[in-house]
Amino acid sequence: DAGVTQSPTHLIKTRGQQVTLRCSPKSGHDTVSWYQQALGQGPQFIFQYYEEEERQRGNFPDRFSGHQFPNYSSELNVNALLLGDSALYLCASSWGSIYSGYTFGSGTRLTVV
Amino acid sequence: KNEVEQSPQNLTAQEGEFITINCSYSVGISALHWLQQHPGGGIVSLFMLSSGKKKHGRLIATINIQEKHSSLHITASHPRDSAVYICAVSERGTGNQFYFGTGTSLTVIP
């Protein structure tokens, strides 16, 4: 049973470009949350998707957007990349409420140069 | 404002030592989570607590809801325990959003 799968694992982009990160949730999970983890910091909540809609959003600008597909997989899009967007982007999946359990992916390391 | 504070930030221990990592939080929570993150970045859930104490192997997690404080203990530490340990809370009433601490980087020396 596959856990959460994120792709790509590493990515280098140039400032001003756009990037799309992908997440496939654990089998049986229907909710996907995205987090940004800067070096030496704890993860920060970006947003959460459930039933193909953004259910909650953290304190991130509109340059960060997402999507959830009918198969529950999700994408995180970041436009007009800034150097400060360099971070590890983590995806976590759960079923409904997190109180029923959640699983993190291994993350995508984004470097903006 | 940090909803979750962890201490210490860095910790170096000799193999076999008893280790304690502390976590304090400022919001009402539905659950507190202890997570382990290895250098590759992947996060593994160790414990989810809403009260009392849980034990898994050499790991023990406790929580005091009244004091808004939790501790993670590692008995008989081993070099393979070297990792970043992160405390996270899910805030009561906001559903599924986590607040994370900045993590404690643990190095266990043989």
Side-chain angles (χ1 to χ4, degrees):
Chain A
D1 175 27
V4 176
T5 304
Q6 289 189 244
S7 63
T9 53
H10 295 84
L11 197 55
I12 299 174
K13 288 286 192 178
T14 303
R15 189 173 50 183
Q17 283 188 313
Q18 179 265 343
V19 68
T20 297
L21 310 182
R22 294 176 177 84
C23 173
S24 293
K26 182 177 179 178
S27 177
H29 286 182
D30 60 3
T31 302
V32 174
S33 303
W34 286 93
Y35 296 85
Q36 181 196 63
Q37 186 178 23
L39 197 62
Q41 300 295 317
Q44 297 290 318
F45 176 72
I46 303 175
F47 44 52
Q48 183 181 85
Y49 277 85
Y50 172 70
E51 292 188 340
E52 302 180 49
E53 290 191 358
E54 184 182 289
R55 179 157 69 172
Q56 280 182 287
R57 188 179 183 93
N59 188 26
F60 279 80
D62 293 344
R63 298 187 297 110
F64 289 77
S65 63
H67 188 77
Q68 186 178 35
F69 298 94
N71 67 354
Y72 307 119
S73 67
S74 177
E75 290 182 348
L76 163 66
N77 301 294
V78 187
N79 294 323
L81 283 167
L82 303 174
L83 297 180
D85 295 331
S86 296
L88 178 70
Y89 288 85
L90 292 162
C91 167
S93 74
S94 58
W95 181 82
S97 164
I98 59 167
Y99 320 124
S100 60
Y102 58 91
T103 302
F104 277 89
S106 296
T108 293
R109 176 76 61 187
L110 172 65
T111 302
V112 182
V113 298
Chain B
K1 148 174 118 67
N2 292 327
E3 290 83 1
V4 181
E5 300 277 357
Q6 274 185 248
S7 63
Q9 277 192 302
N10 297 284
L11 185 55
T12 300
Q14 292 289 329
E15 184 174 355
E17 284 188 7
F18 180 85
I19 289 163
T20 296
I21 300 171
N22 295 300
C23 174
S24 296
Y25 54 91
S26 59
V27 296
I29 67 169
S30 53
L32 182 142
H33 310 260
W34 282 103
L35 311 169
Q36 183 189 56
Q37 186 172 35
H38 282 276
I43 289 179
V44 174
S45 172
L46 299 175
F47 295 103
M48 184 169 77
L49 298 165
S50 54
S51 65
K53 174 181 173 178
K54 286 191 176 181
K55 183 176 189 292
H56 182 70
R58 295 179 295 104
L59 301 178
I60 303 167
T62 63
I63 188 168
N64 185 316
I65 297 293
Q66 287 72 32
E67 294 185 4
K68 294 189 173 180
H69 181 270
S70 174
S71 293
L72 176 68
H73 305 287
I74 305 176
T75 62
S77 59
H78 190 277
R80 65 173 173 266
D81 297 326
S82 298
V84 174
Y85 292 84
I86 302 174
C87 173
V89 300
S90 45
E91 187 177 12
R92 191 188 317 127
T94 64
N96 304 323
Q97 183 175 340
F98 279 109
Y99 293 105
F100 291 82
T102 55
T104 295
S105 179
L106 171 66
T107 303
V108 181
I109 300 170

